[in-house]
Amino acid sequence: MFLWGTATAAYQIEGAVTEDGRGVSIWDTFAHEPGRTRDGHTGDMACDHYHSWREDVALMSGLGVNAYRFSIAWPRVQPLGTGPANTKGLDFYERLVDALLEAGIQPVPTLFHWDLPQALQDRGGWLNREVSEMFAEYAATVAHRLADRVPLWITLNEPFVHMAFGYAMGVHAPGEALLTGALPAAHHQLLAHGLAVRALRAAGVAQVAITNNCTPVWPASQREPDLRAAEAYDILHNRLFNDPILLGKYPDLSAYVPTLDVVRDGDLDVIATPLDALGINYYNPTRIAAPTSEGLPFTDAGITGYPTTAFGWPIVPDGLRELLTGLKARYGAALPPILITENGCSNDDTVTVDDQARIAFLEDHIAAMRQAMEEGVDVRGYFVWSLLDNFEWAEGYHQRFGLVHVDFATQRRIPKASYAWLKGFLERQNTDT
Ligand code: FCB
């Protein structure tokens, strides 16, 4: 069965940040620091999904999706990141999972979507190798409760973005701006992933995947410095996170950045533990030029000549086809089946829910995915980001990605035109097959 779903993440929708024993996450801390998020927005309330999850499951049921990708908040399960489980936190996810199953929707949990327990950040966060082992313990704890009902699990969401925005540039939690000093956060997340794959399987989980953010990299010109910078960017954004998982080795970083001296014997075997699927989040290609300042081996040259989303991201549906066929060309038989675990766009839907631009975006990207499938790429699922307008990290509530409009003052949900469109689209899939 091809999985058609919507995706969300805990901190972006749940709210209820102090309820039922939940611990503090790095996003609670970061969002409350002055100047970190646009207009000082926080996820304290978000979509209040912790209380309105029944309504949200009903919305998905009405939409006709057969899968739902959501994330589990580590600090709800282990408030301090390690130690005994907080039963009430696990109970929340169990209720959600059971309601989804009842509605005929396959739950697809992600164990880490950036909301690290603050207590672990106080011990260095992903710069500390021990956090990788703690993550595997946490994964096992959740799996012991839910593995009997949940077939497919995702370990991490976008370790690249978490490293780059959270540890290299300082624009996401935990707000570190270490530039290439952020690289250990890549290795420790990858190690955490590999250890978690093993822990999940030991706990009876049938299928495991990871979600990577990938981008086709376009050199700004065919001049040598731009080509070299584009290669560096491709390595840091794409290959650093796919090669070790799929090939059991790191790409050669030596020409661009300091060596990864945190890698120990045996780590790569753990990281390359076979997967059942590779999750891909696609938003847009990236155009790269030679560096203009010290510190990083590239510059983002920006893409012009395409329409853009409200976020200013270029809309390039064919980039999804390019990405998928490129992965197949690069990894061949080592590439597991692919799930598009996120794709979508922000629109200025503050006053209108007639989001025709989102409908066109989704239609064109689904067509590009199908083109890649015709070209031989094995894609098994597609998840729209996102079910609801939600807390878009540093942008706060300013970027609306939902199929469903949320009035954040009243928590009223109003399905947009794209919701009705997707519903009709999914009905047509069912009659066609
Ligand atoms: C991805 C994130 C997701 C959401 C979208 C717009 O990078 O995984 O949480 O913010 O971008």
Side-chain angles (χ1 to χ4, degrees), residues 2-296:
F2 193 89
L3 298 181
W4 290 104
T6 57
T8 63
Y11 188 72
Q12 296 182 274
I13 64 165
E14 286 179 359
V17 290
T18 56
E19 235 162 291
D20 289 341
R22 177 186 180 277
V24 177
S25 83
I26 57 171
W27 267 97
D28 298 297
T29 308
F30 184 81
H32 278 275
E33 284 167 10
R36 293 295 206 178
T37 64
R38 202 164 146 197
D39 292 339
H41 288 171
T42 74
D44 287 0
M45 176 65 93
C47 306
D48 200 30
H49 170 80
Y50 194 75
H51 298 113
S52 59
W53 56 275
R54 281 188 197 81
E55 182 183 354
D56 297 336
V57 172
L59 280 165
M60 282 185 272
S61 181
L63 183 56
V65 288
N66 61 19
Y68 173 45
R69 174 175 179 245
F70 61 99
S71 84
I72 293 178
W74 187 349
R76 276 198 202 284
V77 175
Q78 288 176 301
L80 299 177
T82 176
N86 170 34
T87 312
K88 287 188 171 168
L90 284 173
D91 290 347
F92 170 70
Y93 295 108
E94 184 166 53
R95 285 194 294 273
L96 176 65
V97 159
D98 287 344
L100 289 165
L101 291 171
E102 186 123 326
I105 300 169
Q106 179 177 329
V108 183
T110 299
L111 285 161
F112 179 70
H113 201 125
W114 304 349
D115 45 359
L116 194 79
Q118 180 62 41
L120 299 188
Q121 193 60 43
D122 297 342
R123 295 160 78 166
W126 290 113
L127 299 176
N128 176 355
R129 183 182 172 97
E130 284 168 8
V131 171
S132 312
E133 279 147 35
M134 293 170 187
F135 179 71
E137 252 175 59
Y138 150 67
T141 304
V142 184
H144 282 131
R145 179 70 84 93
L146 296 174
D148 58 342
R149 278 154 285 176
V150 176
L152 167 66
W153 295 60
I154 294 170
T155 54
L156 307 178
N157 178 70
E158 300 188 348
F160 166 76
V161 176
H162 190 51
M163 173 199 76
F165 287 21
Y167 287 83
M169 313 303 294
V171 294
H172 277 184
E176 303 273 358
L178 305 171
L179 298 177
T180 56
L183 284 170
H187 181 64
H188 294 143
Q189 286 186 86
L190 288 164
L191 183 61
H193 156 77
L195 292 168
V197 176
R198 293 179 176 195
L200 289 168
R201 291 211 202 285
V205 163
Q207 298 172 332
V208 192
I210 185 172
T211 280
N212 274 339
N213 178 300
C214 293
T215 183
V217 180
W218 296 351
S221 81
Q222 291 305 309
R223 290 183 315 115
E224 183 54 29
D226 288 342
L227 290 172
R228 204 176 133 75
E231 189 191 359
Y233 191 78
D234 185 34
I235 288 177
L236 290 168
H237 190 135
N238 297 314
R239 292 185 53 200
L240 181 58
F241 296 88
N242 288 328
D243 284 17
I245 286 172
L246 302 179
L247 306 176
K249 58 181 191 209
Y250 276 112
D252 183 5
L253 303 167
S254 59
Y256 308 108
V257 290
T259 32
L260 256 179
D261 54 9
V262 292
V263 184
R264 295 195 193 157
D265 283 353
D267 284 2
L268 281 156
D269 290 341
V270 173
I271 293 170
T273 306
L275 291 179
D276 301 283
L278 176 66
I280 296 290
N281 290 355
Y282 171 72
Y283 288 94
N284 50 255
T286 311
R287 190 166 153 268
I288 292 294
T292 49
S293 62
E294 292 292 305
L296 292 173

